Amino acid sequence: MRKIAQYLWICLLVSPLAAIAQDDLTKMLDENETKSVDYTTATFKGTRIINGHSVETVKKNHLDFLIHHRFDRLNSGAYNLFGLDYSTIRLGFEYGITDNLMVGIGRSSIQKTYDFLAKGKLLRQSSGARNMPFTVTAFASAVVETIDKELTFQDKISYTTQLLIARKFNERLSLQLMPTLLYRNRVATVAQDRMLMALGVGGRMKVTKRLSLNAEYYWAFRDQNLQNQLGEKYGNSLAIGFDIETGGHVFQLHFTNSAGMVEKQFIGDTAGSWGNGDIRYGFNISRTFSFDKRAKGINKVSDK
Amino acid sequence: MKKEIALILLLSTCLSIGIKAQNLYATNNGETNFFSETPVENISAVNKLSQAIINITNNDIVVQMNMKQFDFPNKLMQEHFNENYIESDKYPKAIFKGKINEKIDFSQNGSYEVSATGDFTIHGVTKPRTFKGKLTVGGGKLNLVTEFDVALTDHNIEVPKVVFMKIAQVIKVKNNYTLTPYVAKK
């Protein structure tokens, strides 16, 4: 027993001299680290994958100004410079009320359409202190097509609700699912239902730090037999393109068989088919302005 | 034989007790601020969960922080910082491992001008650096205040030409850490 006590003394004397390597210090810090919730950022570069919405919202006190263009069909021939002679446009202003909630208003030249939208994040993909595999965003819009003056106001309106479910698998790959419900107060043709359900899939693959390849497909559940009988040719919307990001701008260049740039039109009214060459060149430009007063100033350094 | 095993066991427990002894000071909530100042735009961010540890027996110092824990007033800038410049998924931490050059009597309260030399890693690029600061000993705590510059080109942090005017090429960094005797978190 006395011997053990002696050893103990020796140990206690020796132990402070035991070198603690710097790697041990690093390990100690790692073990004591305060884990915070790491929210996944930039699942997509912009608020649109191509035609449709991505899970991203405009950040708090930021205003996004959007200019979307779609040209005419490539198969309209050399006489129309493969569609470049004609174009449709949507201008939009979208604003972030919080970092997770945005509202917007837009005007499309097709059907002289006004659209009003709101989009909010319900769940955010995260790692660290809390693990959440997906980002889930809810989207709702009301669209007023004002071209036909004879119609009542009610008949000009349609509504869209979407659940956008996305996961950023890694730095390069993000995928998204978009179950969609479209309700039109008035439909133009017999074979179409007022209610149209659709399922969208979309994604992006980064090629370089600032360039990504995007694709998007909306599969609309129509009564195909009835369409065939009545000779109606409404189809599904497919778009493929590139995103280029530079600071506050996002440029999107793409090909699509849809002319419309709001859900009601590209999901509900797409009549062109890729197989027939009804492909349109288009681009989206987004410019974000910050109205955050704090962003102009500088964080105050506390003088502890 | 049995005795020797017992001895080794005893020694190793002693050693581990030794490591936990009061010769280590650490913090898990140090404050690191950085500033990018240009005529066009001023950008700043703060990380309030920076970590530092000092071994007062041999002057070893390690400072590290998670790049994702930098908070920007402007969230779009925060996204660009993590995504485009620092690439925090690939290079999650900034680390300094070094030694304090001056001999300091840690048992004596007072303020000391100090410098530390070692390896500074950010964006996966390690550079030998010497940082200067002020160390205040008092009340069983160490307060460390430092200020230094980081040149983006030193660490291969690329700024595209379009935003060149908005982001300073040399970033000012200010740290304020209060270290208390090290306790392992359970």
Side-chain angles (χ1 to χ4, degrees), chain A residues 20-37:
Chain A
I20 305 167
Q22 277 192 332
D23 288 339
D24 295 330
L25 293 184
T26 313
K27 224 174 279 168
M28 288 160 136
L29 288 185
D30 285 343
E31 280 161 12
N32 271 14
E33 192 179 290
T34 310
K35 290 255 187 280
S36 52
V37 182

Side-chain angles (χ1 to χ4, degrees), chain A residues 11 22 29-30 32-33 59, chain B residues 14 51 64 79 93 98:
Chain A
C11 289
Q22 277 192 332
L29 288 185
D30 285 343
N32 271 14
E33 192 179 290
K59 300 284 194 299
Chain B
C14 286
Q51 293 183 293
Q64 67 172 21
E79 185 175 309
K93 280 181 182 176

Side-chain angles (χ1 to χ4, degrees), chain A residues 3-4 7-8 11-12 14-16 18-26 28-36 38-42 44-45 56 59-60 62 99 127 168 171 204 206 209-210 245-248 287-288 290 292 294-304, chain B residues 3 7 10-11 14-15 18-19 23-24 27-29 31 33 35 37 42-46 49 51-53 55 58 60-64 66 68-69 71-76 79-80 83-85 87 89-90 93 97-99 160 162-163 166 174 176 178 182-185:
Chain A
K3 236 178 187 173
I4 292 172
Y7 284 135
L8 207 76
C11 289
L12 282 177
V14 167
S15 59
I20 305 167
Q22 277 192 332
D23 288 339
D24 295 330
L25 293 184
T26 313
M28 288 160 136
L29 288 185
D30 285 343
E31 280 161 12
N32 271 14
E33 192 179 290
T34 310
K35 290 255 187 280
S36 52
D38 291 336
Y39 288 110
T40 304
T41 56
F44 292 95
K45 280 292 175 202
E56 301 295 344
K59 300 284 194 299
K60 184 180 180 179
H62 282 65
D99 281 333
S127 58
K168 188 180 188 178
E171 213 188 319
R204 76 112 191 250
K206 262 185 160 184
K209 221 192 277 183
R210 292 163 197 284
E245 192 226 8
T246 63
R287 166 71 207 178
T288 306
S290 171
D292 198 325
R294 276 209 306 154
K296 296 223 163 63
I298 277 197
N299 278 341
K300 229 186 138 214
V301 186
S302 60
D303 300 305
K304 275 196 257 186
Chain B
K3 224 179 183 179
L7 181 64
L10 196 63
L11 257 170
C14 286
L15 279 176
I19 287 172
N23 51 5
L24 296 177
T27 178
N28 299 316
N29 51 12
E31 199 173 306
N33 282 272
F35 306 88
E37 288 167 9
N42 291 332
I43 301 166
S44 75
V46 60
L49 296 170
Q51 293 183 293
I53 189 164
N55 183 346
N58 64 2
D60 270 350
I61 177 165
V62 175
V63 178
Q64 67 172 21
N66 266 318
K68 277 196 181 164
Q69 289 169 341
D71 185 41
F72 287 66
N74 183 329
K75 294 297 167 218
L76 193 67
E79 185 175 309
H80 290 158
E83 190 83 0
N84 297 340
Y85 300 113
E87 300 177 82
D89 279 330
K90 239 190 266 176
K93 280 181 182 176
K97 287 184 194 182
K99 249 185 199 322
V162 256
V163 286
K166 291 183 175 180
K174 290 180 186 173
N176 192 333
T178 301
Y182 169 79
V183 185
K185 231 189 225 176

Side-chain angles (χ1 to χ4, degrees), chain B:
Chain B
M1 190 63 195
K2 248 186 193 168
K3 224 179 183 179
E4 272 161 44
I5 291 169
L7 181 64
I8 289 164
L9 277 174
L10 196 63
L11 257 170
S12 53
T13 39
C14 286
L15 279 176
S16 58
I17 291 166
I19 287 172
K20 289 198 176 97
Q22 301 291 291
N23 51 5
L24 296 177
Y25 284 81
T27 178
N28 299 316
N29 51 12
E31 199 173 306
T32 299
N33 282 272
F34 75 73
F35 306 88
S36 155
E37 288 167 9
T38 65
V40 185
E41 197 162 47
N42 291 332
I43 301 166
S44 75
V46 60
N47 185 333
K48 290 183 173 172
L49 296 170
S50 297
Q51 293 183 293
I53 189 164
I54 296 176
N55 183 346
I56 61 170
T57 51
N58 64 2
N59 275 10
D60 270 350
I61 177 165
V62 175
V63 178
Q64 67 172 21
M65 65 201 70
N66 266 318
M67 300 316 274
K68 277 196 181 164
Q69 289 169 341
F70 272 101
D71 185 41
F72 287 66
N74 183 329
K75 294 297 167 218
L76 193 67
M77 285 180 186
Q78 187 165 331
E79 185 175 309
H80 290 158
F81 169 79
N82 285 306
E83 190 83 0
N84 297 340
Y85 300 113
I86 287 296
E87 300 177 82
S88 24
D89 279 330
K90 239 190 266 176
Y91 313 109
K93 280 181 182 176
I95 305 176
F96 175 72
K97 287 184 194 182
K99 249 185 199 322
I100 297 170
N101 297 315
E102 291 75 14
K103 260 243 160 295
I104 292 157
D105 185 358
F106 286 97
S107 62
Q108 210 70 35
N109 285 358
S111 271
Y112 306 90
E113 294 295 328
V114 290
S115 65
T117 303
D119 289 331
F120 177 58
T121 309
I122 189 165
H123 194 238
V125 180
T126 304
K127 293 275 165 180
R129 290 287 300 262
T130 298
F131 296 129
K132 284 183 180 152
K134 204 171 99 178
L135 185 76
T136 309
V137 182
K141 289 177 183 172
L142 307 178
N143 179 251
L144 182 65
V145 179
T146 61
E147 209 175 313
F148 56 87
D149 291 342
V150 177
L152 297 185
T153 47
D154 281 356
H155 297 275
N156 294 347
I157 299 166
E158 285 169 39
V159 175
K161 291 217 168 57
V162 256
V163 286
F164 203 76
M165 297 294 287
K166 291 183 175 180
I167 296 174
Q169 284 303 292
V170 175
I171 306 294
K172 272 189 201 145
V173 181
K174 290 180 186 173
N175 300 296
N176 192 333
Y177 299 152
T178 301
L179 296 86
T180 51
Y182 169 79
V183 185
K185 231 189 225 176
K186 279 282 170 274

